[in-house]
Each structure stands twice: as C-alpha cells, then as structure tokens.
C-alpha cells in the first residue's frame, strides 16, 4: 500500500519514476502525485526500481508492505 506518492511528473514518466516488476505481468511505471492503488503480487517476488535525473524536487513515496500469509483469527498453524 502506498501511504503517499509524489514523484516528478512528465507525460511519459521518463525523468523520475518508480518501476514495479512482478513476475510475468507488464511492469508498472509510476510518476506524478496521484497515490497508486494497492498492488498484490502474483508471484513470489516483486522488484521496485526508482530512477531520478536529480533535477527538481518532490516528496518521494512511502510504501507499506507485508509478505506471506496473514493468519486469520482461529486459524491453526501448519506443521
């Protein structure tokens, strides 16, 4: 989940961007100030790449993540 997102915006996200790669999915390339919706990985790993041309300034971004299964109330541990 993105808490906030503010990366220099251009029409094609060429100067500053966050690229999210998740298995066989088409990579997501994000820029601007609109907070992206939650992303759930379809594979065992997700890679994030941040690029900047060091021109201008913006707040950046903050991401919260979790991995593995979330234990539900009453669910027993697997052995």
């Amino acid at each position: 989940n993105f808490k906030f997102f503010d990366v220099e915006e251009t029409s094609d996200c060429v100067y500053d961007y966050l690229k999210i790669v998740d298995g066989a999915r088409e990579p997501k390339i994000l820029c601007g100030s609109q907070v992206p919706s939650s992303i759930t990985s379809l594979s065992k790993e997700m890679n994030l790449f941040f690029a900047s041309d060091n021109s201008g300034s913006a707040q950046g971004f903050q991401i919260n993540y979790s991995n593995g299964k979330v234990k539900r109330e009453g669910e027993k541990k697997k052995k």
Side-chain angles (χ1 to χ4, degrees):
N1 292 336
F2 287 88
K3 296 304 261 179
F4 66 87
F5 192 85
D6 182 22
V7 175
E8 180 183 4
E9 184 170 11
T10 57
S11 60
D12 51 3
C13 296
V14 70
Y15 300 114
D16 293 4
Y17 59 87
L18 177 64
K19 180 178 179 180
I20 302 173
V21 180
D22 176 25
R25 276 189 193 173
E26 186 72 23
K28 273 188 181 272
I29 298 177
L30 307 169
C31 67
S33 58
Q34 183 175 355
V35 176
S37 57
S38 294
I39 299 171
T40 301
S41 177
L42 297 179
S43 65
K44 292 183 179 182
E45 66 181 54
M46 181 182 288
N47 295 289
L48 288 80
F49 303 94
F50 177 69
S52 175
D53 65 355
N54 292 320
S55 171
S57 65
Q59 293 283 326
F61 56 90
Q62 181 179 351
I63 301 172
N64 290 341
Y65 71 95
S66 64
N67 60 357
K69 286 188 173 184
V70 176
K71 184 181 173 192
R72 295 183 190 146
E73 190 174 327
E75 185 176 359
K76 294 183 179 182
K77 290 184 180 179
K78 292 183 180 180
K79 294 182 181 182

